[in-house]
Amino acid sequence: MKTFKLVGLSVVYDDLHQQDIPFIDGLIINKEDGQNRWLIETYLDKEYESIFSELQKRNDEFRLQVTITNRSNDPANMLATVRSITRMNDHISVLMDGLLIRSKTDLAEVVLAGLVKKGLQGEALLKEFKQQLNERRGFKNNESTIKG
């Protein structure tokens, strides 16, 4: 495993809306498991607890952008889940699992692989694929359609 300094963090809601999350300190760890999985830990003010608590309650993946090591680096896109939130006086520590998404193709492959693993086929597979891909890209139901 390799550990890096986290220097930027944003929760991405859709292609036009994201929320930069200021934090006091942060680390990001490459699990080096061959599946692009990372562990992200941030130490931040308690005022952001509601954002991460809501994401944790939904128990679903959300989009995250992280900047590693230097602010001049391009942010990396991830699909993340909140693993834990630990209160520390006026601050919190948020631990997240993340899957590095290198391109839009990777995102589609991740979604499709999960649905195939669930045993979906034919029209049911296509319908669920379109819905989940839209959701993960930050679109609500029927706001955007995938043309294929």
Side-chain angles (χ1 to χ4, degrees), residues 81-133:
T81 56
V82 175
R83 182 188 281 193
S84 68
I85 300 170
T86 305
R87 291 186 182 126
M88 302 174 182
N89 297 325
D90 293 334
H91 299 92
I92 59 171
S93 173
V94 179
L95 186 63
M96 296 173 276
D97 288 307
L99 173 65
L100 182 65
I101 304 297
R102 296 191 189 274
S103 70
K104 289 183 179 183
T105 301
D106 287 347
L107 177 61
E109 288 174 4
V110 167
V111 171
L112 185 58
L115 296 174
V116 169
K117 195 173 185 178
K118 287 183 179 179
L120 294 178
Q121 298 177 16
E123 285 299 315
L125 173 63
L126 183 59
K127 181 180 177 184
E128 188 66 21
F129 174 76
K130 287 179 181 180
Q131 180 181 338
Q132 284 195 22
L133 196 57

Side-chain angles (χ1 to χ4, degrees), residues 59-83:
N59 197 29
D60 200 8
E61 292 176 326
F62 58 95
R63 287 177 55 196
L64 195 63
Q65 280 191 339
V66 296
T67 306
I68 302 169
T69 307
N70 190 325
R71 288 205 174 275
S72 65
N73 289 338
D74 288 336
N77 291 297
M78 301 190 125
L79 290 177
T81 56
V82 175
R83 182 188 281 193

